[in-house]
Amino acid sequence: MLNKGLYNAMITSVGHYVPDRVISNKFFEEYLDTSDEWIRTRTGIQERRRLDKDIPTSFMAVKAIEKLLQNRGIGIEEIDLIIVGTVTPDMIYPSTACIIQEKMGATNAWGFDLMAACSGFIFSLTTAIQFIQSGSHKKVIVVGADKMSAITNMEDRNTCLLFGDAAGAVLLEPTEDKTYGIQDAIMHIDGKGGKYLHQLGGGSLHPASHETVDKRMHFVYQDGKTVFKEAVKGMADVSYQIMKNNKLKPEDISYLVPHQANLRIITACADRMGISMDKVMVNIHKYGNTTSATIPTCISEYWHEGKIKKGDNLVLSSFGAGYTWGSILLKWAY
Ligand code: UT7
């Protein structure tokens, strides 16, 4: 249960960015032993977006933040803190937060990157909440941004067709009205999951070498079947738990905002919560799995389409590498 401070943290603006280049399932059919039918039925993905080779993750994050600032009608100098959930930083260091800060001229902000794979956004959001609740920060940006095309092996049919590139951002501000904003957060990690989903190369254990390149250790590895089973259980359990802890019935939930890894995982989660699919935010068919960006791009798209209204209860849930998983409950405030 979230320990409430002086204020509640509420989302007051959103923005997202997806690259223009669309990669359809057909693209993979042409050179891999796969089919549009398999990809659609096993994952729910129809297409995904790819950023150009020489353009980094920070480019998408900046675009998403620009949109967010425009929507709120404020300048970047008002921002106190920038937290970036990503597993595809522009480089190991400096952090992508520093790069964004410099690119945007965010002269009054500090910031950092947070790595929690597909839970990167909700772990970052849970971290950001603390700075708002304590009263120490007034405007905090949380970005989920990943250029998954930079770390996917295009010859591996088990992974290459799953991922896409995108960024989504939210602005957090304090409210004294504690009925609004983020109400609860439950986060988990379990390092036993590491062997089933990882990128081994490039860290201090396996620094870049001819060997790490030859063995394709700079790409995503996933034992899909094992992760699938854990994801179904982990995401459904934690989503149900946050409902139970807050005495919410299915009819009290306006939207489930699930991490978009597989439509079958999303459906299982909705089933466990007892909610119908029309109350579930879905964009996996258009973008695939964009890791840290799935949840904020969903929220931003639905908001831009006028589908979220003040007072709506949203449950944000994710499961990803680590394992990392969790759920956040919030009441939409604007
Ligand atoms: O976001 C972070 C967390 N990640 C996840 O939550 C992802 C979790 N995993 C998944 O979403 C699914 O496991 C996948 C989409 C990755 C795979 O789906 P699956 O239903 O678990 O497939 P599978 O690996 O059990 O493979 C089923 C069959 C196999 O053939 P046989 O052994 O039944 O003859 C595979 O060889 O599908 C075959 N297969 C493919 N066929 C066509 C595996 N990949 C492909 C492919 N195209 N790309």
Side-chain angles (χ1 to χ4, degrees):
M1 178 64 81
L2 210 62
N3 182 15
K4 291 199 181 151
L6 290 172
Y7 305 98
N8 256 20
M10 59 176 177
I11 293 176
T12 55
S13 189
V14 291
H16 70 281
Y17 174 83
V18 294
D20 292 335
R21 198 160 135 236
V22 176
I23 307 289
S24 69
N25 290 345
K26 243 189 155 11
F27 171 86
F28 298 100
E29 273 185 350
E30 277 161 23
Y31 74 99
L32 285 174
D33 180 15
T34 190
S35 66
D36 174 46
E37 209 262 330
W38 189 94
I39 302 169
R40 279 173 195 257
T41 53
R42 305 308 288 176
T43 72
I45 301 167
Q46 296 171 22
E47 55 189 41
R48 70 290 289 144
R49 301 296 179 101
R50 286 271 151 91
L51 198 59
D52 291 349
K53 237 185 172 145
D54 54 349
I55 301 183
T57 297
S58 64
F59 173 87
M60 298 189 291
V62 166
K63 291 272 187 203
I65 294 171
E66 282 171 352
K67 189 83 195 160
L68 168 157
L69 294 172
Q70 192 190 324
N71 287 339
R72 182 73 177 89
I74 58 169
I76 191 72
E77 68 288 347
E78 290 196 38
I79 303 305
D80 305 316
L81 168 61
I82 301 168
I83 304 179
V84 186
T86 188
V87 287
T88 51
D90 287 16
M91 53 197 79
I92 304 295
Y93 63 86
S95 69
T96 310
C98 288
I99 294 167
I100 294 169
Q101 186 271 343
E102 202 261 331
K103 279 185 176 174
M104 301 195 75
T107 44
N108 296 313
W110 70 289
F112 55 91
D113 293 1
L114 190 153
M115 198 175 279
C118 294
S119 303
F121 179 75
I122 66 162
F123 277 32
S124 297
L125 192 56
T126 305
T127 305
I129 293 165
Q130 318 302 324
F131 294 96
I132 297 287
Q133 286 191 334
S134 69
S136 67
H137 291 61
K138 297 277 178 272
K139 287 187 172 63
V140 177
I141 286 176
V142 179
V143 198
D146 270 303
K147 183 184 181 184
M148 294 305 291
S149 60
I151 58 166
T152 40
N153 175 359
M154 291 300 278
E155 305 302 322
D156 177 11
R157 74 170 184 169
N158 293 308
T159 52
C160 70
L161 38 82
L162 302 174
F163 295 104
D165 304 337
V170 302
L171 177 66
L172 281 187
E173 293 185 66
T175 171
E176 284 178 4
D177 182 349
K178 294 195 174 177
T179 54
Y180 286 101
I182 289 149
Q183 305 291 321
D184 199 5
I186 307 173
M187 300 293 130
H188 295 287
I189 62 171
D190 182 356
K192 286 202 271 302
K195 55 180 171 295
Y196 306 111
L197 181 49
H198 54 236
Q199 179 189 331
L200 289 180
S204 57
L205 181 61
H206 301 291
S209 66
H210 287 295
E211 193 195 356
T212 61
V213 172
D214 289 346
K215 291 188 171 165
R216 304 193 166 252
M217 289 163 72
H218 298 275
F219 291 127
V220 177
Y221 164 83
Q222 177 171 248
D223 171 350
K225 210 180 275 240
T226 305
V227 177
F228 183 90
K229 282 187 212 139
E230 295 295 333
V232 165
K233 187 174 168 353
M235 211 162 93
D237 280 354
V238 77
S239 308
Y240 180 72
Q241 191 66 45
I242 208 160
M243 281 177 74
K244 211 173 129 203
N245 292 359
N246 291 277
K247 300 183 176 48
L248 293 174
K249 297 191 203 65
E251 56 270 29
D252 301 323
I253 310 276
S254 313
Y255 285 110
L256 166 67
V257 194
H259 170 55
Q260 314 275 309
N262 188 312
L263 192 58
R264 289 181 291 141
I265 299 173
I266 294 172
T267 311
C269 188
D271 281 351
R272 177 76 190 283
M273 294 169 77
I275 62 171
S276 54
M277 282 304 284
D278 59 318
K279 285 184 163 189
V280 182
M281 291 193 192
V282 176
N283 64 15
I284 189 171
H285 53 295
K286 295 188 289 184
Y287 307 136
N289 181 352
T290 57
T291 305
S292 302
T294 60
I295 290 176
T297 52
C298 268
I299 296 175
S300 180
E301 278 200 321
Y302 275 64
W303 182 83
H304 279 92
E305 288 165 14
K307 291 180 180 164
I308 309 177
K309 55 182 193 309
K310 187 171 179 179
D312 277 353
N313 284 321
L314 272 55
V315 173
L316 284 43
S317 297
S318 73
F319 188 94
Y323 297 126
T324 55
W325 72 106
S327 212
I328 290 175
L329 170 69
L330 65 90
K331 190 180 279 291
W332 199 257
Y334 76 106

